Amino acid sequence: MKFLRVILAATLILAVVLMEFPLAVAAGPVKPTVVRIGLVFDDNASHSGASQVTVSGPGGVELGIRNGSTFSLLKTLAANESAKLTTSNGQLLLNSTQQVTGGTLTARPIGTGQSIRVSEKGTSYRGMIEVAAINGDLRVVNEVGVEDYLYGVVPKEMSDYWPLEALKAQAVAARTYVAANMGRYGSYGFDLTDDTYCQAYGGVNVEGSNSRAAVTQTCGEILVYNGQPISALYHSNSGGYTENSENVWMSAIPYLKGVNDPYSVGLGGTSDKWQKSFTKESLENSINNKLKAAGRSTIGSLSGIRVLETGVSGRLTKVSIDGTAGSAVIAKDLIRYYLGDLDSNLFTITPDNQVIVIGLGQAQQTSLGGKYVVSGNGTVSQLPAGTLNVQGDSSSRQIPGQPSNYLINGRGWGHGVGMSQWGAYGMAKAGKGYQEILTFYYQGTQIFK
């Protein structure tokens, strides 16, 4: 009994201490529940605002002005009744006549599970639609719960008919992207865009039963590294090997390292293997125009393309584009942009003036101009730089001194960092679960629920 009294006394003392000095609890990663998506806005570059926005809803819509949690009703729309919003002299107008005080109007659906259609976008959205007059244009924002938002993301990024485990991997990656990028477009009044600048988002019209199930069955789950949401980057097809983040367009990130990816090989049709051909003139014109647009010196007439560096996957990470007026060194993901908007950086480029020369123990792809040859009688001579005729066993071939065409053979689709979507498909088909898919592509990460 004495021992029991000692235990009880110690317990009471500990309880008092904890009341006065509670133990510090490690804060987990912040998981947002609501996200604001920019549907229409003007950034003076890749996006343009609207001159008119029309909203309606199958269950009716309430139009009003929000001030914090207060909603001041202006007008109620019946089921499928529409309202038109325009701007004039910097003011927001409802149905061309009623001026909206403050220049911002919010539309919210009537009834649980209902949506709002934005005619100019050709689709409907869960949550609320906010329309504001900004610098003479209309900005349209969809404020929506994160899980409802993902219903419209997953089937835009990955087919609803794909295996459930692949869709669940996509759902977790997309949810993680939200957690890591909240406020990315804060200066425009929202968090993310609805396109590939962030994540593709199609609203209610693209939703499917499988993708909804994938979102629901992984509800709230995100990927973390050292307790924080990761940059869950993904792409269509790795072409057989993903790439280190620092070899594409950012700094080295420990969980975005290249991995050998056999699961992507042979899948995705033209996203797996592709081929493009360019004439010298079309390629040099494209390169010079892009250099000029970037404020860089042009190269003149294209004379050759040299590979200077490659990444762990074999992707080109630095090339020199040579011409009569100079050379331009291009690095990382810009390479595929300058060389004809290619599908990925995982490719080989072959000018039509190159041949395979077999030397001592190895073969080399090269041009013939300036090379030395030994004739049958032992005479050594240097080949001219112009067009040459090469005689084979049964025919001859004319080899130009300067390339006139470039053939590009490539693999994969996209930047190659993080999860390969077709690889996730392949892993799911092979019986892998979504957790295994995610930790394969994002090494060293954990799923936080």
Side-chain angles (χ1 to χ4, degrees), residues 9 30 66 113 129 147 167 182 197 215 242 253 263 290 293 306 314 316 337 357 378 387 397 420 425-426:
V30 176
R66 277 194 301 165
I129 295 295
E147 301 302 309
L167 291 166
M182 285 293 291
Y197 285 87
V215 172
T242 66
I253 296 178
Y263 301 102
K290 289 171 181 175
R306 293 177 291 131
L316 278 59
Y337 166 69
V357 175
T387 300
R397 178 186 168 194
S420 164
Y425 174 96

Side-chain angles (χ1 to χ4, degrees), residues 51-388:
S51 59
Q52 173 181 307
V53 173
T54 308
V55 296
S56 61
V61 175
E62 291 181 333
L63 304 176
I65 298 173
R66 277 194 301 165
N67 184 7
S69 59
T70 303
F71 185 89
S72 301
L73 183 66
L74 293 181
K75 183 177 178 61
T76 299
L77 303 179
N80 297 313
E81 179 186 0
S82 64
K84 182 175 68 173
L85 292 157
T86 55
T87 181
S88 177
N89 297 321
Q91 303 299 318
L92 180 64
L93 300 179
L94 173 59
N95 290 332
S96 303
T97 57
Q98 184 178 354
Q99 183 175 319
V100 178
T101 304
T104 301
L105 181 139
T106 298
R108 63 184 188 185
I110 298 174
T112 304
Q114 294 296 323
S115 61
I116 297 177
R117 179 174 177 80
V118 179
S119 298
E120 288 71 20
K121 294 290 290 186
T123 190
S124 298
Y125 299 92
R126 297 173 182 265
M128 295 184 289
I129 295 295
E130 179 186 277
V131 182
I134 307 289
N135 297 326
D137 286 316
L138 297 180
R139 180 193 69 192
V140 184
V141 175
N142 179 205
E143 187 171 306
V144 60
V146 169
E147 301 302 309
D148 286 346
Y149 161 70
L150 294 176
Y151 289 155
V153 170
V154 174
K156 281 286 283 187
E157 292 287 355
M158 187 177 282
S159 171
D160 189 66
Y161 299 103
W162 280 19
L164 182 60
E165 293 303 304
L167 291 166
K168 289 161 73 173
Q170 180 66 66
V172 175
R175 187 182 294 110
T176 304
Y177 186 91
V178 176
N181 288 278
M182 285 293 291
R184 181 176 176 182
Y185 282 80
S187 61
Y188 292 95
F190 49 86
D191 299 305
L192 305 171
T193 67
D194 67 343
D195 51 25
T196 54
Y197 285 87
C198 293
Q199 299 185 120
Y201 170 53
V204 172
N205 295 38
V206 301
E207 292 182 13
S209 57
N210 288 332
S211 50
R212 279 196 296 266
V215 172
T216 301
Q217 291 178 28
T218 62
C219 182
E221 294 183 7
I222 63 172
L223 283 166
V224 298
Y225 185 86
N226 287 339
Q228 295 302 314
I230 71 166
S231 295
L233 300 172
Y234 50 87
H235 57 280
S236 177
N237 194 312
S238 73
Y241 213 113
T242 66
E243 186 55 77
N244 290 358
S245 58
E246 68 269 23
N247 291 334
V248 181
W249 21 240
M250 58 173 61
S251 58
I253 296 178
Y255 52 80
L256 294 178
K257 294 296 183 185
V259 295
N260 184 20
D261 179 23
Y263 301 102
S264 293
V265 176
L267 296 175
T270 55
S271 75
D272 175 40
K273 291 183 179 181
W274 47 269
Q275 185 179 87
K276 292 189 177 182
S277 179
F278 300 93
T279 65
K280 181 183 83 72
E281 289 76 15
S282 66
L283 192 55
E284 74 183 27
N285 286 339
S286 174
I287 291 168
N288 281 325
N289 288 336
K290 289 171 181 175
L291 287 170
K292 188 181 298 183
R296 300 183 60 176
S297 299
T298 56
I299 60 164
S301 179
L302 179 64
S303 58
I305 300 170
R306 293 177 291 131
V307 177
L308 303 180
E309 293 178 3
T310 58
V312 295
S313 66
R315 283 173 171 80
L316 278 59
T317 56
K318 185 183 288 187
V319 300
S320 177
I321 305 174
D322 305 323
T324 56
S327 297
V329 174
I330 309 297
K332 302 187 178 182
D333 205 48
L334 283 174
I335 293 171
R336 59 185 178 130
Y337 166 69
Y338 274 94
L339 296 182
D341 296 309
L342 304 176
D343 298 333
S344 79
N345 271 5
L346 188 55
F347 64 86
T348 59
I349 183 165
T350 307
D352 63 356
N353 71 327
Q354 293 202 338
V355 296
I356 302 297
V357 175
I358 300 175
L360 294 174
Q362 64 179 4
Q364 180 186 11
Q365 182 174 290
T366 184
S367 59
L368 291 176
K371 298 295 186 294
Y372 289 87
V373 295
V374 181
S375 64
N377 62 9
T379 302
V380 178
S381 59
Q382 188 176 22
L383 295 173
T387 300
L388 299 169

Side-chain angles (χ1 to χ4, degrees), residues 388-398:
L388 299 169
N389 287 311
V390 177
Q391 180 67 48
D393 289 339
S394 59
S395 63
S396 64
R397 178 186 168 194
Q398 196 173 65

